[in-house]
């Protein structure tokens, strides 16, 4: 059957089971958008292409399905770049369609032409420049397969206008077989066995669980393993929720703004079981000083993640869920190792938790941002989806919001993209219209995609935005406070707009909270409101995120905020 | 350490830039890179010579394997292999030194592929050591132009 390229593309996208996409039309995409009209695929018009990419990303992270975004050629495509890079760094399955000038004009500096394949080459898992309509079904099928399997990631498909206009023959293949792409899902049994023998030799083990646990949906398997062997478990930012936050073995997040307990446990351990994590520099601090006495087991689907930053002793390449399933199976008849030695280790771990729990000044008159996040955590159910922007807001959420379920925290971890949280919340809310979705933002980052208030207003999408407003680019300000003698160069945002009025101008409810006593009621009012709400919460201006591992320090060398600013050096206790 | 990496790839446009971008994006230098079709016209073979410690090279080969268009990666340095390079050298020749130039060429089993009143162009095939030795001997006569192909390599059958 002959169809136009545009019709084939719509059909191909539908064949992949796509129900919703986020995008922004333009000249070269007119034929596609015409075919899309009445196709049954919901298309959400964002007000900036970057938001389309982040919304598709938020949809993907919340559901585990492939997110889809689209932008026109040239500036539309380049506006997607930040969103694509964000997805690449955090292994998010995304297919990004970009318009392109007609094939005979490519390379001629045509109007709205950009070499988007070249531009996105280092930030995609793969990319395609379509050359004829006949290729559309195969390419779309391959793209979704690549994006969603193995270590997920973004795939770009560039669509020259003439390819969408010409007619081709639609063919559907049963399997997207790609010769050069065979992700290794099953771990080598010999290597898995070694994990158990390492564990047997260890008296101070710790599990360090990353985003791979969430992606692979291996929470149950890891909890079972940790419980059986009584292994304390810390998670990365992207791993939060992958291990229940209310579990007695959970130590909270590790790394630069991790808990004292998690960082001390890692530093003092003799065995690190890294599962679906990649030893990011925000986790390890100074790699030379990272966990000096630990053997390292690394379970990850990406062979190139093994020994990339930290030398690994026992690598297991495979899908985390599958590996953990085999591990638990092999381990079935083994005795539990919760013996006297392990008990001693857990006592030490728990002592660190008691010694320096996460804290802040609860007594003062100002609204502490941590207090807002804590209240939010109390007021929202376990299945609420929390997105963050990047900076202090993100770290306070990671520290003070209790994530008990996977896929409930959506945050740009690797790239650290300000402006991510709000559009990501839209994507998650479209996926789960009945769940509570809250973007915890800063006053700086919310302004990076604030135009999306128009999108949520249009769809009456009940996303809640809580702006922790300190009239600063807070994280940079904090570094200036600590390391640049409080010279607040270009970080003061005292000229912020009135966010409540901004929200109202878009047709969105705005609430301002200026007093501590109003925090709880203000948040509750926002949560109960059936539509979108922006809460502008005026918080303590110079509050910092602590503890903090300064650049170049070992993870045990944390600073604890203004009142205890002296560096606490590790007392090596054996 | 120097590594000779053999990469089998899909013969499609854009593949070279993906492979090359992988090196440049991580600050690894490519000393030479050769590409040509294989017996299967849909598959090309690249021979890449790069320099780096073992950890960097391991990372490079892992990253190469991750590319969807890459079918197979082998670090030949770990095995026994044969490599060859072609040199085309345009050398100034005078009545006086002609005989000696031709003699050197003969010793290296080179071929004369072009000739003009004042120049010879030689084609020399061999491994890097041989090409370097030829260059060293011929340079004093006056090199007008040289082109080296870069290395191609294949593993030995055991």
């Amino acid at each position: 059957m002959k169809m136009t390229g545009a019709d084939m593309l719509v059909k191909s996208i539908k064949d992949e089971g796509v129900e919703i996409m986020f995008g922004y039309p333009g000249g070269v995409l007119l034929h596609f958008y015409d075919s899309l009209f009445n196709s049954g695929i919901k298309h959400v018009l964002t007000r900036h292409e970057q938001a389309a990419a982040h919304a598709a990303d938020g949809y993907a992270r919340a559901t585990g399905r492939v997110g889809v975004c689209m932008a026109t050629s040239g500036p539309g495509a380049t506006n997607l770049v930040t969103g694509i890079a964000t997805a690449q760094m955090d292994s998010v399955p995304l297919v990004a369609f970009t318009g392109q000038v007609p094939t005979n004009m490519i390379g001629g500096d045509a109007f709205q032409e950009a070499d988007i394949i070249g531009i996105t080459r280092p930030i995609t898992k793969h990319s395609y420049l379509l050359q004829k309509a006949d290729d559309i079904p195969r390419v779309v099928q391959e793209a979704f397969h690549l994006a969603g399997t193995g270590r997920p990631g973004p795939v770009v498909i560039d669509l020259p206008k003439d390819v969408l206009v010409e007619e081709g023959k639609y063919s559907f293949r049963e399997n997207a077989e790609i010769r050069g792409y065979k992700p290794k899902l099953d771990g080598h049994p010999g290597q898995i066995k070694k994990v158990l023998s390492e564990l047997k030799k260890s008296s101070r083990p710790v599990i360090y669980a990353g985003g791979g646990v969430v992606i692979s949906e291996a929470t149950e398997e890891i909890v079972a393993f940790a419980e059986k062997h009584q292994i304390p478990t810390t998670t990365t930012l992207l791993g939060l929720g992958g291990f229940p936050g209310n579990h007695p073995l959970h130590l909270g997040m590790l790394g630069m703004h991790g808990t004292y307990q998690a960082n001390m446990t890692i530093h003092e351990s003799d065995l690190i079981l890294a599962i679906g994590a990649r030893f990011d520099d925000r986790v390890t601090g100074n790699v030379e000083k990272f966990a000096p006495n630990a053997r390292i087991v690394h379970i990850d689907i990406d062979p190139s993640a093994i020994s990339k930053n930290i030398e690994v002793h026992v690598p297991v390449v495979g899908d985390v869920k599958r590996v953990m399933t085999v591990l638990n199976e092999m381990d079935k008849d083994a005795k539990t190792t919760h013996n006297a030695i392990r008990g001693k280790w857990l006592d030490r771990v728990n002592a660190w938790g008691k010694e320096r729990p996460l804290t802040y000044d609860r007594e003062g008159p100002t609204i502490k941002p941590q207090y807002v996040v804590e209240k939010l955590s109390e007021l929202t159910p376990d299945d609420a989806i929390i997105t963050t922007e990047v900076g202090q807001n993100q770290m306070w959420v990671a520290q003070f919001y209790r994530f008990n379920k996977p896929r409930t925290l959506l945050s740009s971890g690797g790239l650290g993209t300000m402006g991510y949280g709000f559009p990501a919340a839209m994507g998650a809310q479209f996926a789960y219209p009945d769940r509570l979705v809250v973007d915890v933002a800063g006053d700086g980052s919310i302004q990076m995609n604030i135009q999306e208030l128009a999108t949520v207003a249009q769809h009456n999408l009940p996303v809640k935005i809580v702006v922790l407003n300190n009239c600063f680019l807070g994280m940079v300000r904090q570094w200036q406070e600590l390391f640049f003698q409080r010279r607040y160069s270009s970080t003061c945002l005292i000229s912020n707009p009135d966010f409540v009025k901004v929200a109202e101008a878009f047709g969105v409810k705005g609430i301002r909270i200026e007093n501590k006593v109003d925090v709880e009621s203000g948040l509750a009012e926002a949560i109960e409101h059936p539509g979108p709400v922006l809460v502008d919460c005026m918080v303590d201006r110079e509050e910092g995120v602590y503890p903090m591992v300064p650049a170049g320090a070992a993870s045990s060398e944390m600073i604890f905020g203004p009142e205890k600013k002296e560096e606490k050096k590790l007392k090596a206790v054996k | 350490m120097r590594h000779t990496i053999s990469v089998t790839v899909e013969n499609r446009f854009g593949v070279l830039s993906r492979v090359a971008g992988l090196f440049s994006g991580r600050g690894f230098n490519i000393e030479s890179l050769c590409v040509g079709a294989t017996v299967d016209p849909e598959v090309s073979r690249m021979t890449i010579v790069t320099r780096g410690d073992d950890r960097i090279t391991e990372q490079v080969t892992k990253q190469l394997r991750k590319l969807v268009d890459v079918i197979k990666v082998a670090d030949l340095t770990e095995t026994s292999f044969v490599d060859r390079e072609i040199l085309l050298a345009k050398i100034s020749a005078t009545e006086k030194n002609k005989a000696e130039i031709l003699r050197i060429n003969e010793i290296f089993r080179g071929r004369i592929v072009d000739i003009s009143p004042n120049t010879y162009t030689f084609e020399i095939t061999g491994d890097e050591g041989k090409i370097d030795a030829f260059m060293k001997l011929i340079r004093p006569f006056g090199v007008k132009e040289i082109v080296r192909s870069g290395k191609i390599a294949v593993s030995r059958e055991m």
Side-chain angles (χ1 to χ4, degrees), chain A residues 433-474:
Chain A
D434 299 328
R435 282 166 70 178
L436 178 63
V437 181
V438 184
D439 169 36
V440 179
D443 49 304
S445 43
I446 190 60
Q447 294 184 65
M448 284 209 180
N449 270 315
I450 200 161
Q451 77 286 343
E452 297 309 316
L453 285 169
T455 312
V456 294
Q458 179 192 346
H459 295 271
N460 195 29
L461 199 67
V463 167
K464 320 299 177 201
I465 305 164
V466 177
V467 181
L468 302 175
N469 188 346
N470 52 16
C471 296
F472 270 122
L473 297 174

Side-chain angles (χ1 to χ4, degrees), chain A residues 127 131 179 302 306 308, chain B residues 10 13 18 55 62 66:
Chain A
S127 51
Q131 289 181 300
R179 176 159 45 176
D302 179 2
I306 308 274
K308 184 170 66 181
Chain B
E10 298 287 350
F13 71 91
R18 281 181 212 278
R55 216 179 123 226
K62 281 175 175 173
K66 259 174 93 171

Side-chain angles (χ1 to χ4, degrees), chain A residues 4 6-7 9-10 24-37 70-73 99-100 112 159-162 164-165:
Chain A
T4 67
D7 284 340
L9 184 57
V10 169
Y24 208 108
V28 297
L29 290 179
L30 280 162
H31 286 82
F32 174 79
Y33 272 86
D34 188 62
S35 299
L36 191 66
F37 203 57
M70 176 170 263
T72 193
S73 63
Q100 184 54 278
Q112 291 195 330
L159 310 159
K161 181 182 174 175
D162 53 323
L164 295 176
V165 176

Side-chain angles (χ1 to χ4, degrees), chain B residues 91-102:
Chain B
I91 309 297
S92 306
T94 61
E95 277 306 315
K96 258 165 78 188
N97 64 18
K98 202 159 100 179
E100 184 154 14
I101 293 173
L102 290 173

Side-chain angles (χ1 to χ4, degrees), chain A residues 2-10 12 28-32 35 97-106 128-140 157-169, chain B residues 13:
Chain A
K2 288 273 187 189
M3 299 167 81
T4 67
D7 284 340
M8 285 168 80
L9 184 57
V10 169
S12 298
V28 297
L29 290 179
L30 280 162
H31 286 82
F32 174 79
S35 299
F97 292 96
T98 52
Q100 184 54 278
V101 301
T103 42
N104 64 351
M105 289 170 80
I106 289 178
Y128 295 89
L129 170 58
L130 276 172
Q131 289 181 300
K132 52 180 195 294
D134 286 345
D135 291 340
I136 290 174
R138 174 184 61 83
V139 165
V140 170
I157 302 179
D158 203 16
L159 310 159
K161 181 182 174 175
D162 53 323
V163 175
L164 295 176
V165 176
E166 73 177 19
E167 289 198 327
K169 200 168 160 291
Chain B
F13 71 91

Side-chain angles (χ1 to χ4, degrees), chain A residues 144-181:
Chain A
F144 276 80
H145 176 62
L146 288 169
T149 57
R151 178 175 179 172
V155 178
V156 168
I157 302 179
D158 203 16
L159 310 159
K161 181 182 174 175
D162 53 323
V163 175
L164 295 176
V165 176
E166 73 177 19
E167 289 198 327
K169 200 168 160 291
Y170 190 89
S171 55
F172 188 76
R173 295 188 310 163
E174 283 302 311
N175 293 307
E177 185 72 19
I178 304 168
R179 176 159 45 176
Y181 178 74

Side-chain angles (χ1 to χ4, degrees), chain A residues 176-190:
Chain A
E177 185 72 19
I178 304 168
R179 176 159 45 176
Y181 178 74
K182 301 223 161 33
K184 201 166 164 296
L185 299 176
D186 291 310
H188 190 283

